[in-house]
């Protein structure tokens, strides 16, 4: 299982390939496709952020839209009403707001409830945040915030106008890549392995001296913070934020990405988000078909291919590879799992 | 003032019983199979649309027997769908981790959404209450629509029937035995998988029945599933997960929360409701009514 195996080479190659495609895209694609690519990049960060808590620490959240929405609304509000603030400071404040919300949620609920009950608590909290947003006048109530600007990126030496041409797109892609890189580091280092231990066997992890509650809280906070970052990047990209981003249907998007792509794999949610981007684009004019397709696909994955697309590919790969180097590797893997 | 109190009381009971009707099937499936079924809202919604289609033949003058007949058709239709869904989905989820089950039933809800959008479209549709339930009773300042009294009556009848079946028949006792210990039930010769199938079918039929009975309670749109499933989830969870009596008490409790918030915080619908659910779950994750009786 690749959840314990770390393959830096394949990760860096995949990330580099994605980055090259994303950065070259403006040279041969139209505005619609570029916009979609930006949304997919945001969804990749959102999906990986969710999966960090779900697959790595075993914490299922059905309310991740609240972090996305807090990031998006905070960024939207500040770019409209506090335009003296440099853009990086706006992003920092927005992401911190998400982090704070994640810590509060975790402190309130994570110690007392796990599994399905925690998922339902996050669902209720997410619904609460959605209602509050639709009733807050400074956040545009049911209409949301429109006309969100793309402020200049002031780096001290140079100031890049993000509102010009494809500049914001490049900024978005680079920031997403950095966020993915950061999460990969946390996923595959000692910290990530301790989360793995907490998920696999909390009692044994506790016995070995790992503070289970603290690890879960940290994993959930990282996850919420990164989800807020994806929301913060979304606001200036779409230039409009509506309360739908706080709805629980938005919370289920990263669940879908992770399961579709394969939640045991770090890049699983990325594969899911890309595939979903294609599906969404292909069915955008057909009312109802997209729900049927997405629902049917998700159902098929849970029932028939629990490992997702990457899980299926990995099984096929092992079956082919297993014939040739029959021996050491499979035995070693099973030893690790005992 | 008395009119105010009466209105709150009445609105609370209408909301409670409407939500209880939806939550009853959800509770039974959760109590026996331990599956928190997101798609319950979806099948409730399809039930309402099926009843709408049936009642369309009667135009604006719907006799009461036709209204009840429509609900019955919806119940039977959803029960039949339940047989299929059980065979294709629920059967395979028995050995799957809880969180994946939750996700699978959510996927099923999406399928229901898509189905409704394809068949009935995105527009708001509505059905008027049946003849005889179109007017209202005036008590002081309070206006009590007779249709709301009908909804309250339906909720009470369904509750009493379920309570009767679960506590005073051999079928009910078998169900309780399985809910508590399926392994032991199997050991003493109970066909557990047949009971599971019957439970899913009964849960789905209750979803369809609720859809048919409540079809005139609000307008129909593909949002319907999402509105009711969150309320019903709240009820099932606060009611201590899987106990019909708990769900009944929890719907009344949440009905009062909702009615009080509608009267005193009319600009913030839902805030008090979700805050209450979150608070209760944080303080008592096992629900307000604990784990005394299952199913």
């Amino acid at each position: 299982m690749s959840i314990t195996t770390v393959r830096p080479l394949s990760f860096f190659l995949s990330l580099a390939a994605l980055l090259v495609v994303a950065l070259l895209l403006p040279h041969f694609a139209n505005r619609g496709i570029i916009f979609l690519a930006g949304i997919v990049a945001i969804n990749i960060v959102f999906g990986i952020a969710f999966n960090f808590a779900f697959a790595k620490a075993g914490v299922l959240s059905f309310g991740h839209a609240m972090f996305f929405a807090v990031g998006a609304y905070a960024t939207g509000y500040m770019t409209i009403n506090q335009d003296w603030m440099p853009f990086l400071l706006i992003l920092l404040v927005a992401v911190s707001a998400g982090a704070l919300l994640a810590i509060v949620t975790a402190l309130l609920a994570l110690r007392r409830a796990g599994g399905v009950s925690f998922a339902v608590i996050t669902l209720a909290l997410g619904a609460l945040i959605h209602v509050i947003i639709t009733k807050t006048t400074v956040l545009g109530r049911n209409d949301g915030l429109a006309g969100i600007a793309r402020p200049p990126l002031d780096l001290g030496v140079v100031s890049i106008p993000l509102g010009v041409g494809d500049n914001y797109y490049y900024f978005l892609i680079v920031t997403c890549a950095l966020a993915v890189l950061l999460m990969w580091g946390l996923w595959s280092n000692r910290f990530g392995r301790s989360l793995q231990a907490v998920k696999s066997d909390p009692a044994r992890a506790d016995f070995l001296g790992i503070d289970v509650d603290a690890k879960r809280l940290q994993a959930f906070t990282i996850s919420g913070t990164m989800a807020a970052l994806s929301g913060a990047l979304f606001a200036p990209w779409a230039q409009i934020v509506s309360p739908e981003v706080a709805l629980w249907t938005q919370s289920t998007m990263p669940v879908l990405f992770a399961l579709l792509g394969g939640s045991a794999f770090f890049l699983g949610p990325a594969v899911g988000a890309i595939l979903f981007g294609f599906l969404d684009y292909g069915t955008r004019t057909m009312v109802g078909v997209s729900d049927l397709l997405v629902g049917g696909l998700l159902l098929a994955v849970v029932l028939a291919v629990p490992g997702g697309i990457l899980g299926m590919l990995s099984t096929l790969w092992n079956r082919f590879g297993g014939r040739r180097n029959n021996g050491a590797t499979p035995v070693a893997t099973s030893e690790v799992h005992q | 003032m008395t009119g105010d109190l009466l209105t709150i009381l009445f609105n609370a009971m209408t909301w409670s019983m409407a939500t209880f009707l939806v939550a009853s099937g959800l509770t039974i499936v959760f109590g026996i199979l331990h599956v928190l079924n997101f798609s319950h809202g979806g099948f409730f919604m399809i039930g309402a649309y099926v009843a709408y289609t049936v009642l369309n033949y009667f135009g604006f003058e719907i006799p009461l027997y036709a209204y009840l007949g429509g609900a019955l058709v919806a119940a039977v239709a959803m029960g039949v769908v339940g047989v299929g869904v059980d065979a294709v989905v629920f059967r395979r989820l028995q050995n799957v981790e809880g969180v994946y089950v939750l996700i699978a039933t959510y996927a099923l809800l999406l399928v229901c959404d898509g189905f409704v959008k394809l068949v009935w479209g995105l527009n708001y549709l509505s059905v008027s209450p049946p003849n005889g339930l179109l007017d209202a009773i005036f008590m002081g300042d309070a206006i009590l629509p007779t249709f709301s009294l009908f909804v309250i009556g339906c909720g009470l009848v369904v509750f009493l029937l379920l309570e009767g079946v679960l506590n005073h028949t051999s079928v009910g006792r078998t169900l309780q035995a399985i809910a508590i210990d399926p392994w032991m039930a199997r050991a003493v010769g109970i066909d557990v998988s047949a009971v599971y199938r019957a439970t899913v079918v009964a849960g789905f039929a209750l979803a369809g029945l609720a859809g048919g009975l409540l079809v005139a309670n609000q307008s129909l749109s593909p949002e319907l599933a999402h509105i009711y499933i969150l309320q019903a989830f709240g009820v099932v969870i606060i009611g201590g997960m899987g106990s019909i009596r708990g769900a009944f008490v929890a719907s009344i409790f949440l009905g009062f929360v909702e009615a009080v918030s509608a009267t005193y915080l009319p600009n913030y619908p839902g805030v008090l409701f979700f805050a209450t659910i979150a608070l209760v779950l944080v303080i008592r994750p096992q629900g307000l009514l604990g784990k005394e009786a299952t199913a």
Side-chain angles (χ1 to χ4, degrees):
Chain A
M1 282 286 275
S2 67
I3 196 147
T4 44
T5 331
V6 175
R7 293 198 195 83
L9 188 66
S10 68
F11 166 73
F12 283 113
L13 284 179
S14 313
L15 187 65
L18 280 176
L19 204 54
V20 167
V21 172
L23 291 177
L24 288 179
L25 204 64
H27 295 286
F28 52 83
N30 64 34
R31 308 285 335 150
I33 303 283
I34 296 173
F35 182 75
L36 183 72
I39 295 292
V40 168
I42 288 165
N43 280 342
I44 289 176
V45 174
F46 191 29
I48 293 178
F50 161 81
N51 202 39
F52 193 85
F54 174 61
K56 206 64 181 173
V59 176
L60 173 64
S61 157
F62 250 84
H64 253 46
M66 62 183 161
F67 304 119
F68 188 92
V70 163
Y73 269 97
T75 309
Y77 175 78
M78 283 183 280
T79 48
I80 292 172
N81 298 308
Q82 310 288 332
D83 50 9
W84 56 271
M85 288 172 79
F87 188 49
L88 286 180
L89 180 64
I90 290 180
L91 286 184
L92 189 70
V93 173
V95 169
S96 310
L100 193 67
L101 181 63
I103 292 173
V104 171
T105 309
L107 282 177
L108 274 178
L110 202 49
R111 268 159 211 259
R112 296 194 175 85
V116 174
S117 40
F118 181 74
V120 178
I121 295 180
T122 54
L123 186 68
L125 283 175
L128 186 60
I129 300 274
H130 175 254
V131 176
I132 291 172
I133 286 173
T134 58
K135 300 298 163 197
T136 307
T137 308
V138 289
L139 298 179
R141 304 179 82 91
N142 278 314
D143 300 328
L145 299 173
I148 297 165
R150 295 171 182 169
L153 181 66
D154 197 351
L155 294 173
V157 252
V158 281
S159 172
I160 306 166
L162 290 180
V164 177
D166 290 319
N167 283 357
Y168 188 79
Y169 174 76
Y170 292 118
F171 170 74
L172 174 72
I173 294 296
V174 170
T175 313
C176 286
L178 290 175
V180 169
L181 214 55
L182 176 67
M183 284 189 280
W184 185 78
L186 292 167
W187 173 283
S188 44
N189 68 3
R190 194 182 157 78
F191 172 70
R193 287 195 300 277
S194 66
L195 294 183
Q196 190 69 45
V198 167
K199 185 199 176 192
S200 313
D201 193 337
R204 193 173 294 185
D206 190 29
F207 177 71
L208 290 171
I210 297 173
D211 186 343
V212 172
D213 282 340
K215 289 290 171 200
R216 280 198 173 132
L217 184 136
Q218 288 158 6
F220 190 73
T221 306
I222 291 168
S223 175
T225 308
M226 286 300 169
L229 175 67
S230 63
L233 290 170
F234 170 80
W237 182 234
Q239 300 196 296
I240 179 165
V241 178
S242 62
E244 271 96 80
V245 298
L247 214 56
W248 63 300
T249 41
Q250 174 77 4
S251 292
T252 51
M253 295 314 287
V255 183
L256 174 72
F257 301 150
L259 288 183
L260 208 56
S263 66
F265 300 83
F266 177 79
L267 282 177
V271 172
I274 293 168
L275 183 71
F276 180 81
F278 281 114
L279 279 179
D280 199 34
Y281 187 73
T283 57
R284 68 196 179 286
T285 53
M286 293 174 261
V287 170
V289 174
S290 66
D291 287 315
L292 272 183
L293 203 65
V294 169
L297 209 59
L298 189 55
L299 203 55
V301 166
V302 175
L303 292 177
V305 213
I309 293 167
L310 288 183
M312 197 172 64
L313 288 178
S314 146
T315 313
L316 288 175
W317 180 260
N318 285 342
R319 208 168 284 167
F320 278 109
R323 241 175 248 154
R324 270 184 283 124
N325 54 6
N326 207 359
T329 343
V331 179
T333 330
S334 70
E335 290 269 299
V336 168
H337 278 270
Q338 286 311 305
Chain B
M1 192 58 214
T2 43
D4 261 12
L5 264 178
L6 196 61
T7 308
I8 291 180
L9 191 77
F10 187 71
N11 289 344
M13 280 312 285
T14 311
W15 189 98
S16 303
M17 290 305 106
T19 307
F20 174 74
L21 281 173
V22 182
S24 58
L26 193 67
T27 303
I28 287 184
V29 170
F30 191 84
I32 311 292
L33 277 82
H34 307 293
V35 168
L36 195 53
N37 181 12
F38 258 116
S39 68
H40 192 79
F43 293 103
F44 157 76
M45 172 170 72
I46 296 179
Y49 273 98
V50 167
Y52 162 83
T53 308
V54 172
L55 296 178
N56 236 353
Y57 291 105
F58 293 90
F60 291 106
E61 294 283 310
I62 302 166
L64 185 59
Y65 72 85
Y67 192 81
L68 293 173
L72 214 57
V73 170
V76 172
M78 288 310 102
V80 171
V81 170
V83 176
V85 172
D86 177 65
V88 179
V89 183
F90 282 77
R91 194 122 300 228
R92 293 165 194 240
L93 289 177
Q94 277 167 23
N95 301 316
V96 177
E97 236 181 289
V99 291
Y100 286 96
V101 174
L102 197 64
I103 291 164
T105 63
Y106 172 72
L108 210 52
L109 174 62
L110 276 182
V111 172
C112 293
D113 282 358
F115 180 76
V116 165
K117 285 179 191 169
L118 273 181
V119 176
W120 287 282
L122 293 169
N123 293 333
Y124 280 84
L125 306 170
S126 64
V127 171
S128 56
N131 290 343
L133 297 175
L134 289 162
D135 44 359
I137 298 170
F138 295 89
M139 288 180 91
D141 306 339
I143 304 163
L144 318 177
T146 42
F147 182 73
S148 300
L149 287 171
F150 168 76
V151 169
I152 295 173
C154 289
L156 288 172
V157 168
V158 167
F159 169 65
L160 292 174
L161 278 178
L162 288 175
E163 269 292 293
V165 169
L166 285 172
N167 294 321
H168 303 288
T169 64
S170 62
V171 177
R173 281 191 289 272
T174 310
L175 280 176
Q176 295 201 14
I178 290 172
I180 294 164
D181 192 341
W183 186 87
M184 197 60 207
R186 202 170 274 132
V188 297
I190 298 169
D191 186 350
V192 173
S193 31
V195 174
Y196 279 166
R197 190 183 311 125
T199 307
V200 173
V201 171
F204 274 59
L206 280 169
L209 184 73
L213 290 175
L214 296 175
V215 64
N217 199 40
Q218 70 288 300
S219 50
L220 299 180
S221 75
E223 306 277 293
L224 195 59
H226 298 227
I227 298 166
Y228 271 91
I229 194 67
L230 285 181
Q231 295 178 359
F233 262 30
V235 163
V236 170
I237 289 149
I238 291 197
M241 304 254 187
S243 132
I244 279 286
R245 210 171 298 166
F248 186 74
V249 176
S251 11
I252 293 175
F253 170 66
L254 285 174
F256 274 95
V257 169
E258 187 64 21
V260 165
S261 101
T263 310
Y264 297 106
L265 295 167
N267 296 325
Y268 294 88
V271 168
L272 207 55
F273 174 76
F274 289 117
T276 307
I277 291 180
L279 197 70
V280 168
L281 278 173
V282 164
I283 298 167
R284 281 179 70 89
Q286 72 275 36
L288 263 193
L289 298 150
K291 283 188 173 175
E292 17 119 5
T294 323

